[in-house]
């Protein structure tokens, strides 16, 4: 029995020594870091660096802590008042000023004022009056033509008077604007003449004319100094 006991003890000692040697080898026979520190971790595709810019909504590139800007829809459209902003069509930005639009033929009446002769010229104010219930505007030169009672035009169309100021005239209900109609006195110029029955007056940017009975006598329709001039509209009824 003593021999068997010694043999068993020896076998156990051998196994114990083998286990201790294996444990000291670091497992699998590898070697440890001489400084005892672990190797740096490997960066994976899922690692997020907070300093890297992020992809914001709709592809907008942003940095951390910022909000991507967005364009306001329709800001570059033009609204009814022409301000370019449909949310403020009058262009007043909360001032309460209503948008005004041009006067139409149906909202106006036309008349011809008293002649103002001078320096061999005949000068007549052609007046447009706002007869509507709203405020509207006129700008530039009216159209004009002398005609017979049956609508036949006499002479060429008047020309625009050079050097006159073009302005936008705001007409409240009942207010007027005037344009000067001027031509050389036919008695002096010896131009060919005719006596019109009607002066047709067309407001700026309109196509329908207004008929005004002509009471100013002879007008030049051809020959020497037969040009009829018309100035741009100004506020009021006469110079």
């Amino acid at each position: 029995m003593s021999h068997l006991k010694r043999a068993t003890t020896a076998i156990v000692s051998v196994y114990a020594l083998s286990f201790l040697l294996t444990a000291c080898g670091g497992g699998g026979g590898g070697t440890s870091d001489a400084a005892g520190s672990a190797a740096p971790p490997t960066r994976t595709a899922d690692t997020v660096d907070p300093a890297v810019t992020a992809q914001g909504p709709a592809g907008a590139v942003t940095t951390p802590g910022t909000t991507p800007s967005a364009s306001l829809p329709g800001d570059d459209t033009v609204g009814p008042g022409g301000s370019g902003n449909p949310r403020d069509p009058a262009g007043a930005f909360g001032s309460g000023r209503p948008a005004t639009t041009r006067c139409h033929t149906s909202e106006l009446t036309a008349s011809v004022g008293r002649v103002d002769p001078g320096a061999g010229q005949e000068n007549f104010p052609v007046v447009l009056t706002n007869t509507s219930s709203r405020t509207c505007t006129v700008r530039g030169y009216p159209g004009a033509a002398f005609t017979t009672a049956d609508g036949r035009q006499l002479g060429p169309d008047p020309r625009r008077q050079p050097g006159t100021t073009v302005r936008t005239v705001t007409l409240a209900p009942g207010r007027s604007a005037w344009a000067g109609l001027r031509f050389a006195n036919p008695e002096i110029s010896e131009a060919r003449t005719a006596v019109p029955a009607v002066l047709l007056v067309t407001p700026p940017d309109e196509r329908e004319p207004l008929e005004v009975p002509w009471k100013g006598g002879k007008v030049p329709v051809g020959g020497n100094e037969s040009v009829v001039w018309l100035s741009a509209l100004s506020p009021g009824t006469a110079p």
Side-chain angles (χ1 to χ4, degrees):
M1 291 293 297
S2 59
H3 292 291
L4 180 58
K5 183 177 181 179
R6 283 196 297 271
T8 300
T9 301
I11 292 172
V12 171
S13 297
V14 171
Y15 277 106
L17 179 62
S18 176
F19 175 80
L20 291 174
L21 291 175
T22 300
C24 291
T31 59
S32 63
D33 191 316
S37 62
T42 303
R43 184 184 180 93
T44 67
D46 294 333
T47 304
V48 177
D49 188 340
V52 178
T53 58
Q55 194 76 8
V61 177
T62 64
T63 55
T66 63
T67 302
S69 63
S71 61
L72 298 176
D75 279 358
D76 60 348
T77 64
V78 178
S83 72
N85 190 336
R87 291 170 296 179
D88 184 34
F93 290 99
S95 67
R97 296 194 305 267
T100 59
T101 59
R102 64 182 172 87
C103 301
H104 300 291
T105 300
S106 60
E107 299 173 304
L108 301 168
T109 59
S111 60
V112 177
R114 181 179 301 178
V115 63
D116 180 22
Q121 301 289 319
E122 301 290 305
N123 303 286
F124 295 87
V126 177
V127 181
L128 293 175
T129 302
N130 180 8
T131 57
S132 73
S133 60
R134 73 181 185 104
T135 298
C136 58
T137 61
V138 290
R139 178 181 175 83
Y141 298 82
F146 294 110
T147 71
T148 62
D150 59 4
R152 180 171 53 88
Q153 182 169 336
L154 298 172
D157 294 337
R159 297 183 184 178
R160 293 180 175 182
Q161 177 69 45
T164 57
T165 301
V166 175
R167 70 191 77 180
T168 299
V169 182
T170 301
L171 299 180
R175 306 299 289 181
S176 302
W178 71 278
L181 183 72
R182 178 178 64 84
F183 52 83
N185 188 322
E187 300 296 333
I188 299 174
S189 68
E190 298 183 350
R192 296 196 310 273
T193 65
V195 179
V198 172
L199 175 67
L200 297 179
V201 180
T202 306
D205 300 317
E206 291 290 299
R207 295 190 178 186
E208 293 297 322
L210 297 165
E211 294 188 7
V212 183
W214 177 254
K215 305 296 184 181
K218 296 179 180 179
V219 300
V221 295
N224 297 334
E225 298 185 49
S226 59
V227 176
V228 178
W229 299 98
L230 195 61
S231 69
L233 288 162
S234 298
T237 59

